[in-house]
Amino acid sequence: MKRADNRPTTRGYAIAPVFIHAFFSREGIGPLLTYLATVFRDFFALQFAVKFGVKKIPVIDVDHPLDATVPFTPHRVGVYLDFVAFWIRPLGYIRKRYGRKAGVHYTARFLALVDRCYRDAAQVYRFRMTTTKRPKYYKGRFRIIHMFDPHLLCVPSLHVIVVALAYTFYRVAFEELGMDREESRVLNKELFGGAVAITETVLYIKQHSVNCIPAALYALTRVWPEEVTPIFVVDFVNALFREADDVLPADAARIRAHIMDLYEELFLEGCHDSDWITPLQRWLNAYAMEGFVR
């Protein structure tokens, strides 16, 4: 698909065909069913089990004073909720551009990666659940968010994990497919900008804290270290709130500095650990000692 200016774009591709083709293919059905089961077990069922008292897991408030520098902006909820379609649409582009077989192949590969991220993150959530102060705002699509998200899985942010992973995955996929350099450049720029915008919205609509973003980026550097490097993290963080006209430049700089400082702390502490979960558990214990457990 192309825009009015004839440049390629992943926007406009339907989501349903991607899942339908995966479901009816030998390569895709296993990863699809595994992913859906993981989302149900490690996102929905886990949270609601704690909310209704079936499971007992301590809940830590991970708010930070810098969160208040980003205004609650309800109209950005559409961008926030686009995070699922964000990683699916490029699969539609690949299928249209390179055929059904390629579409199914990359669908299966992405599902396997994101499934691992959900399962790894759930190990943190089962250790300590995390929350932030969320406005009691129930208009429009916020009603759906409050209904299906008890808001107990903040650190690490799966929203940030998924969109940063998507940008990285498709950058690699386009190269593997031998895509024309200019075409891939335009698409990569679009996906990078989309991932940054969605990451910003987790603060704008108060679904996460500034503490949740570095934890997510750190997780990805351990899940896929060959591609999600510290250099990528620096570039990604430096892009946050660069064009914001509703966050003071000085506050935006402080947010970026905090994200990088916490990311660096986790990264360095994790150098001697076999997984990324242990350093994050230590950080949560330290944060809890500051008095935010409930």
Side-chain angles (χ1 to χ4, degrees):
M1 189 170 293
K2 294 188 176 181
R3 313 177 207 191
D5 58 6
N6 211 38
R7 288 188 299 166
T9 178
T10 64
R11 299 189 180 100
Y13 284 90
I15 296 173
V18 171
F19 287 109
I20 292 171
H21 283 95
F23 186 81
F24 288 103
S25 70
R26 185 175 300 174
E27 184 179 7
I29 188 170
L32 174 60
L33 294 179
T34 299
Y35 166 70
L36 293 175
T38 298
V39 171
F40 175 79
R41 180 186 66 244
D42 291 338
F43 185 83
F44 291 108
L46 180 59
Q47 282 192 93
F48 280 102
V50 172
K51 178 180 179 179
F52 294 123
V54 178
K55 286 182 178 291
K56 300 294 183 182
I57 301 175
V59 180
I60 301 172
D61 291 321
V62 291
D63 293 290
H64 188 280
L66 283 172
D67 299 336
T69 67
V70 180
F72 178 53
T73 315
H75 73 81
R76 295 181 186 267
V77 69
V79 177
Y80 173 83
L81 291 175
D82 188 54
F83 90 107
V84 174
F86 175 78
W87 67 259
I88 299 174
R89 286 192 298 264
L91 295 170
Y93 185 96
I94 290 173
R95 182 173 61 87
K96 181 75 172 179
R97 180 81 164 73
Y98 295 97
R100 181 180 181 277
K101 186 175 180 180
V104 169
H105 172 72
Y106 283 100
T107 299
R109 280 178 55 180
F110 187 85
L111 287 171
L113 265 176
V114 77
D115 176 73
R116 178 189 169 182
C117 291
Y118 269 75
R119 285 186 287 106
D120 283 0
Q123 293 187 54
V124 178
Y125 305 148
R126 287 187 170 89
F127 172 73
R128 294 289 187 273
M129 292 215 161
T130 44
T131 191
T132 63
K133 295 179 179 66
R134 186 165 63 170
K136 294 180 180 180
Y137 185 90
Y138 305 104
K139 296 180 181 179
R141 285 179 279 186
F142 281 89
R143 188 179 297 109
I144 302 299
I145 293 174
H146 283 262
M147 186 181 301
F148 291 102
D149 180 9
H151 196 51
L152 296 173
L153 308 182
C154 287
V155 173
S157 167
L158 281 169
H159 241 76
V160 176
I161 286 176
V162 169
V163 297
L165 175 66
Y167 161 72
T168 305
F169 178 82
Y170 294 116
R171 187 188 70 225
V172 172
F174 297 155
E175 184 175 350
E176 290 178 350
L177 288 164
M179 185 178 288
D180 174 82
R181 181 175 297 180
E182 178 61 15
E183 181 182 5
S184 64
R185 184 192 69 79
V186 171
L187 293 176
N188 287 334
K189 182 179 179 181
E190 175 184 281
L191 291 171
F192 182 86
V196 167
I198 292 172
T199 297
E200 291 173 349
T201 66
V202 306
L203 299 181
Y204 274 119
I205 72 164
K206 305 303 176 183
Q207 280 291 108
H208 285 284
S209 164
V210 293
N211 288 323
C212 309
I213 297 172
L217 295 173
Y218 168 64
L220 274 182
T221 59
R222 297 294 298 269
V223 170
W224 201 0
E226 299 83 6
E227 297 296 338
V228 186
T229 64
I231 293 174
F232 161 75
V233 172
V234 170
D235 290 341
F236 190 82
V237 173
N238 280 341
L240 294 173
F241 299 104
R242 281 290 178 187
E243 300 179 7
D245 57 7
D246 50 3
V247 178
L248 293 175
D251 289 332
R254 290 165 60 209
I255 289 170
R256 290 190 293 268
H258 175 78
I259 291 172
M260 283 309 310
D261 286 347
L262 181 50
Y263 169 81
E264 183 177 357
E265 176 186 334
L266 292 169
F267 185 85
L268 292 176
E269 285 195 6
C271 288
H272 302 292
D273 292 299
S274 60
D275 59 59
W276 65 266
I277 296 151
T278 305
L280 203 48
Q281 289 175 332
R282 286 198 297 267
W283 180 83
L284 287 170
N285 276 336
Y287 209 74
M289 291 180 68
E290 296 180 15
F292 296 98
V293 171
R294 63 176 175 86

